[in-house]
Amino acid sequence: MSGANRSVGQEVNLPVDGRVSVSKVSHHFVNNRESVTALDRVSFSVEPGEFVSIVGPSGCGKTTTLRLLAGFVTPSEGTVRLDDKTLVESSKGKTSQFIPSENRGIGMLFQDFALFPHLSVYDNIAFGLRHLSGNERKERVNRYLALTRLEAFQDRKPRELSGGQQQRVALARALAPHPKLLLMDEPFSSLDTDLRRQLSQEVYDILKQENMSALLVTHDQQEAMQMADVIGVMNNGRIHQWAPSYEVYHEPVNRFVANFIGHGHFVLGTANTKSNFETQFGQLECQCNCTWEENDKVDILIRPDDLMVAEEGKGTPAMVTKKSFQGAHSHYWLRLSDGTCLEAFFPSHQDFNVGDWIHLDVDAQHLVIFPHESIQAPENT
Ligand code: ADP
Ligand code: MG
C-alpha cells in the first residue's frame, strides 16, 4: 500500500509504512531442564496497513511471536525487521543486533488492559506523549478520545469504566504515540460475546481509518476471520498457512489447517480418474488441477456449507444425531449409514428432528483432498 492511500495519516502526520518481516526465527525455552521449541523457523510478513490474525491451539507459540516483535523475547536464530530497521538479528544463538522495546515504535494491547489505575482516562492516553509539546499533546489526546468515543469519560479513573470502555482507553493509549505496528494479544477475551463482537468491529474500523499495520492473536477463529485481511495458522511453533481468510478456509494447505479452521469432516473417496472420485455421495468431480491416480484412496473435506437437502427420492441418506437452532439457520450433526459423521447448516424452515433420516447432496465448488489417513474427529471445540 502506498503513502497515497494514507490520506488520514498524512492529515495528522501519522508515520507511514509499518512493513514487518520475520525471517526464519527460532526460539527455545528451557522448562524443567528440557528445551521447548516455541518458535520453529517462523517466517512471515505484514504489509503496511494490513490486519493479520494469528490463530492456533493453546501453547502453539502465538504469544511468543508477539513478544518477539515487541522485544521481550530474543530469538536464538533469525531476523525481524520493521520497515528499514532491523529489530533483532541472531545466528547460532548469538545476537548481533537488538533494538529495545521502547525504541521499536510498536504499540500493544493486552487482554487485561494494563491501564494505570491512579491516572484519569485523559492522563492514561497522554502517558506515552511526554515528548510532545503541551499543545501537540492535547491535540493528540483529544483526537484519540474522539476516535474511541471517550470524550465524556476523560476525567474518570479506569475503575469507573465498563470493561469495553477500559479496552477503548487501552486502544487510544496504544495508538496515540503513532506506532508503526499494533500488537494485540487476545484483547477481547475478558469481555462477553456481544461486547466482544461490537468492540472488535470498532477496533477494526479505527485501525483501517488509521491505516495501521496490526497483528492480532486470538483463539477465537470467528473473530480472526471476521477481522483479519490475512490469517496465520500456527501449530507446534510453526506457521502452517499464511493467507487471506477465504483461502485458509477453502484451500487449507494440510489436514491440520483443514481441521482447525471452521467446521468440517472428511469422507472417504477412491479416484476414478485424476480428478473424479467415487464417494458415498456418488461421483464428485474436482475442478482443480488434481493428479491423483486411479484407485488412490483419498479423504475429501466436506464443510457444512457444502451440504444441501436433496430433492425427494435423491441423495444420500443421513440420520440427524444432534441439532442446534441458531435463528436464521440450524446447525445439524449427521451420520451416514457407514458411520461417517458430518455437519450441515440448513435454513431453519427446513426443520428436522433428532432421529430423522434425511437425504443429502454435496455442492462443492472445489474439493479439498488429502491422501487417505484414518479419519479423525476435528480438533475444534
Ligand atoms: P500460545 O500463546 O500460543 O498459547 P505461547 O507462545 O505462550 O503459546 O507458548 C509457546 C510454548 O512456549 C509453550 O510450550 C509454552 O509452555 C512455552 N513458553 C512460553 N513462555 C514461556 C516462558 N516464559 N518460559 C518457558 N516456557 C515458555
Ligand atoms: Mg498466548
Side-chain angles (χ1 to χ4, degrees):
M1 213 170 286
S2 74
N5 289 336
R6 294 198 159 223
S7 55
V8 180
Q10 283 165 358
E11 216 173 275
V12 295
N13 197 24
L14 281 181
V16 283
D17 299 321
R19 177 178 283 103
V20 179
S21 137
V22 171
S23 177
K24 295 187 191 140
V25 165
S26 293
H27 184 68
H28 312 275
F29 288 110
V30 178
N31 281 338
N32 297 327
R33 294 197 195 144
E34 264 187 47
S35 175
V36 176
T37 303
L39 301 179
D40 185 6
R41 290 161 286 164
V42 165
S43 296
F44 62 81
S45 56
V46 179
E47 294 303 314
E50 198 169 59
F51 193 121
V52 175
S53 181
I54 299 185
V55 297
S58 183
C60 72
K62 304 183 294 294
T63 295
T64 306
T65 305
L66 290 198
R67 289 170 58 79
L68 164 85
L69 287 158
F72 303 141
V73 154
T74 308
S76 51
E77 280 300 320
T79 311
V80 180
R81 291 203 175 84
L82 178 59
D83 297 327
D84 50 0
K85 271 199 246 177
T86 299
L87 301 182
V88 63
E89 181 151 27
S90 300
S91 175
K92 296 185 180 133
K94 288 210 164 50
T95 301
S96 53
Q97 163 79 350
F98 182 82
I99 297 183
S101 280
E102 60 274 21
N103 300 336
R104 290 192 174 194
I106 291 178
M108 279 171 266
L109 196 61
F110 297 110
Q111 181 184 341
D112 61 3
F113 317 143
L115 297 172
F116 301 115
H118 57 291
L119 296 184
S120 66
V121 166
Y122 186 100
D123 290 335
N124 261 283
I125 300 171
F127 189 81
L129 306 174
R130 283 161 298 179
H131 58 289
L132 299 181
S133 72
N135 268 350
E136 273 180 306
R137 186 160 60 231
K138 200 164 155 197
E139 229 169 74
R140 194 75 78 82
V141 175
N142 285 335
R143 174 178 152 77
Y144 286 93
L145 279 169
L147 205 59
T148 50
R149 296 186 291 111
L150 287 166
E151 291 114 317
F153 305 99
Q154 57 181 298
D155 297 323
R156 293 209 195 166
K157 297 275 161 54
R159 66 171 180 280
E160 295 162 340
L161 300 173
S162 70
Q165 289 163 341
Q166 289 185 42
Q167 194 56 301
R168 297 218 301 270
V169 180
L171 176 69
R173 190 183 61 179
L175 294 180
H178 290 169
K180 291 186 157 210
L181 169 71
L182 182 69
L183 304 176
M184 296 176 275
D185 196 352
E186 310 260 4
F188 314 116
S189 57
S190 66
L191 306 173
D192 65 52
T193 314
D194 284 347
L195 189 56
R196 197 158 84 205
R197 294 274 174 262
Q198 184 198 330
L199 197 65
S200 58
Q201 188 60 49
E202 277 180 34
V203 169
Y204 179 84
D205 291 343
I206 290 172
L207 292 178
K208 283 294 160 189
Q209 197 176 330
E210 299 278 290
N211 211 357
M212 171 88 53
S213 307
L215 201 58
L216 166 80
V217 155
T218 176
H219 66 274
D220 180 347
Q221 46 163 294
Q222 205 63 38
E223 186 172 280
M225 284 202 261
Q226 217 171 44
M227 292 181 81
D229 303 315
V230 167
I231 292 190
V233 187
M234 271 191 104
N235 195 30
N236 289 332
R238 303 189 76 159
I239 304 275
H240 285 241
Q241 192 163 6
W242 193 271
S245 319
Y246 184 92
E247 204 174 309
V248 168
Y249 185 81
H250 289 287
E251 297 164 32
V253 293
N254 58 30
R255 297 176 74 97
F256 172 78
V257 177
N259 277 330
F260 191 78
I261 298 288
H263 301 273
H265 296 262
F266 290 101
V267 298
L268 184 63
T270 307
N272 289 320
T273 66
K274 64 181 183 173
S275 60
N276 181 285
F277 306 89
E278 204 61 52
T279 74
Q280 287 127 318
F281 295 103
Q283 290 190 8
L284 295 179
E285 182 75 28
C286 185
Q287 307 296 330
C288 356
N289 290 329
C290 304
T291 52
W292 299 93
E293 295 192 355
E294 199 180 338
N295 291 326
D296 274 352
K297 296 274 184 239
V298 296
D299 293 331
I300 301 174
L301 179 68
I302 305 288
R303 298 278 197 204
D305 40 313
D306 295 332
L307 290 172
M308 296 176 311
V309 178
E311 283 173 41
E312 195 76 35
K314 294 190 178 165
T316 305
M319 192 182 78
V320 176
T321 57
K322 193 174 146 192
K323 170 188 176 183
S324 159
F325 177 70
Q326 302 191 345
H329 70 261
S330 293
H331 185 168
Y332 287 93
W333 284 259
L334 305 158
R335 195 167 59 227
L336 304 184
S337 46
D338 73 342
T340 303
C341 292
L342 294 166
E343 287 173 60
F345 300 134
F346 299 137
S348 62
H349 61 82
Q350 288 183 322
D351 196 27
F352 307 108
N353 295 312
V354 171
D356 283 355
W357 280 87
I358 61 172
H359 288 79
L360 298 173
D361 263 348
V362 175
D363 177 23
Q365 297 293 320
H366 45 251
L367 300 173
V368 174
I369 305 171
F370 298 108
H372 175 62
E373 279 176 20
S374 60
I375 292 174
Q376 304 152 350
E379 288 170 31
N380 272 343
T381 48

